[in-house]
Amino acid sequence: MARILLIEDSADFRDALSRFLGKAGHEVTSVSNGREGLAKVLAEPPDLILTDVQMPELDGPSFLEDGPSFLEVVRSYLRMYSVPVVVLTGIEDGPLLDRTRAQKVNSILVKGKASLDDILKAVDEALVTLPT
């Protein structure tokens, strides 16, 4: 069993995914935005972060010029550098995903194309494989 932090702004998807991962034996804490996610990560580091990249309040790889993204802040803490990250996104390609990959994520799954089983497989693989 792993402690997973799920950061997803879609309440329906967040709830369904939390239940699914819980039934698979994981302990899931879920929040709706990057700011809440950062508070949870800093208070008690999870075993894995499962996050969307486009979300309100401190998104995945933010293009805001006035501050870093959620993943950049998380990776800046030494104790968080090796925490596995699985990304869920509706984006299939482009500079947003390039910036996400630069944050040493374990895998990127496209919403609507990845099944719940695909997500569980990526989570389980990330828990045994640290990012390079």
Side-chain angles (χ1 to χ4, degrees):
M1 177 180 88
R3 291 175 301 110
I4 297 173
L5 175 61
L6 171 61
I7 308 168
E8 169 60 50
D9 58 332
S10 168
D12 291 339
F13 185 59
R14 183 176 62 242
D15 292 344
L17 189 51
S18 289
R19 282 192 306 275
F20 180 78
L21 293 170
K23 287 180 182 178
H26 297 292
E27 178 185 324
V28 181
T29 299
S30 63
V31 296
S32 63
N33 64 60
R35 194 167 310 285
E36 292 174 356
L38 185 59
K40 293 286 185 187
V41 164
L42 295 177
E44 185 176 346
D47 298 320
L48 179 134
I49 298 169
L50 181 59
T51 185
D52 192 351
V53 292
Q54 289 185 300
M55 56 190 160
E57 298 188 48
L58 198 62
D59 65 1
S62 178
F63 282 104
L64 299 175
E65 294 181 18
D66 61 346
S69 72
F70 167 78
L71 287 175
E72 289 167 338
V73 172
V74 166
R75 291 298 192 216
S76 71
Y77 287 87
L78 185 58
R79 67 185 178 142
M80 306 294 178
Y81 190 76
S82 64
V83 172
V85 175
V86 174
V87 172
L88 297 168
T89 182
I91 301 167
E92 294 190 42
D93 200 13
L96 186 61
L97 287 186
D98 292 340
R99 189 163 174 194
T100 300
R101 284 182 195 97
Q103 296 308 309
K104 307 248 185 242
V105 299
N106 292 75
S107 61
I108 298 174
L109 302 171
V110 178
K111 291 179 188 177
K113 290 189 176 186
S115 68
L116 290 175
D117 287 331
D118 294 334
I119 295 169
L120 180 59
K121 181 180 177 186
V123 164
D124 289 343
E125 288 175 356
L127 287 167
V128 296
T129 307
L130 293 178
T132 57

